[in-house]
Amino acid sequence: MYKQDIYEILINTPLTKDVFKMVLRGDTQYITAPGQFINLKLEGKFLRRPISVCDYDDEAITIIYKVVGEGTKQMSEMAAGEKVDCITGLGNGYDISKSQKPLVIGGGVGVPPMYNLTKCLIADGQTPTVILGFNTKDEIFYEEEFKALGADVVITTVDGSYGIKGFVTDGMPADYDYFYTCGPLPMFKAVNNAAETSGQFSFEERMGCGFGACMGCSCKTKYGNKRICKEGPVLVKEEIIW
């Protein structure tokens, strides 16, 4: 179930040169699983902007987004106290019942939803290893926040300026029973090829409505067509057609 409502911006601050953290105060009861997303309406823009939920509590939602176009640039210029129209409770989210010692793998702007997922896994008594991949040291964010949850955190950078040099697959340990991941498609393909277990992938896709009505984000799976905004964004490894 999803809901449209008005939220107040409490914080909108940069974490890196082009990655921002925004905290929105309002109703959070329709967020029921890690990996769900919200859809923000921006003044002057026809389509809403889907942004994954980084974290939430009883009073506020935290999102982290990268400035990549006009919409996110407009978001970065919004100030505390401004109001924004949001639809919450969108997407299926991750199913955390499949693991006990999972890998949590986030790449770039795929890192934010992995934070609440890691929190939920630890609350469930699981012992996740978190692998966060970035291009370079200057792009790293939320390393300390993940460590504060009590997770074992591995950082990889493509240029080797911090942590392990290489990709997230270069940081994958041998001992795990499942994986959860979010990030760019090339990373997904690499993880799929490297992983020795089943897992869940959270896909990004251009969306129209965000709640399954327009069919604009449909993709083919081994079990028929699925809408990324409704039956996704999380798909299981065994159903994905690469």
Side-chain angles (χ1 to χ4, degrees), residues 214-235:
C214 74
M215 310 298 289
C217 61
S218 295
C219 70
K220 291 182 179 180
T221 75
K222 293 178 182 177
Y223 310 124
N225 290 334
K226 291 193 173 183
R227 297 162 293 182
I228 292 298
C229 72
K230 185 73 171 179
E231 289 82 31
V234 178
L235 300 178

Side-chain angles (χ1 to χ4, degrees), residues 19 35 52-54 64-66 94 104-118 130-134 139 141-142 146 168 180-185 187-188 201-204:
V19 173
S52 60
V53 174
C54 174
I64 293 176
Y65 61 95
K66 184 176 183 179
Y94 291 102
V104 175
I105 307 170
V109 291
V111 166
M114 314 315 282
Y115 179 77
N116 183 252
L117 170 64
T118 300
V130 177
I131 305 172
L132 307 179
F134 302 91
E139 296 180 2
F141 62 90
Y142 255 54
F146 276 95
V168 292
Y180 305 88
T181 186
C182 185
L185 189 59
M187 187 193 89
F188 278 177
F201 297 77
S202 180
F203 282 82
E204 294 182 353

Side-chain angles (χ1 to χ4, degrees), residues 74-158:
Q74 184 173 327
M75 286 175 60
S76 72
E77 295 168 349
M78 299 174 76
E82 289 189 43
K83 303 294 178 65
V84 59
D85 183 315
C86 296
I87 302 176
T88 63
L90 298 171
N92 59 349
Y94 291 102
D95 177 358
I96 67 169
S97 69
K98 307 296 184 181
S99 58
Q100 280 302 311
K101 193 173 183 181
L103 286 183
V104 175
I105 307 170
V109 291
V111 166
M114 314 315 282
Y115 179 77
N116 183 252
L117 170 64
T118 300
K119 181 187 287 189
C120 290
L121 290 168
I122 291 173
D124 190 56
Q126 301 186 38
T127 55
T129 295
V130 177
I131 305 172
L132 307 179
F134 302 91
N135 288 316
T136 186
K137 180 179 180 180
D138 291 342
E139 296 180 2
I140 296 171
F141 62 90
Y142 255 54
E143 176 186 6
E144 296 306 318
E145 285 82 352
F146 276 95
K147 287 181 177 178
L149 295 177
D152 180 19
V153 179
V154 177
I155 304 291
T156 68
T157 53
V158 175

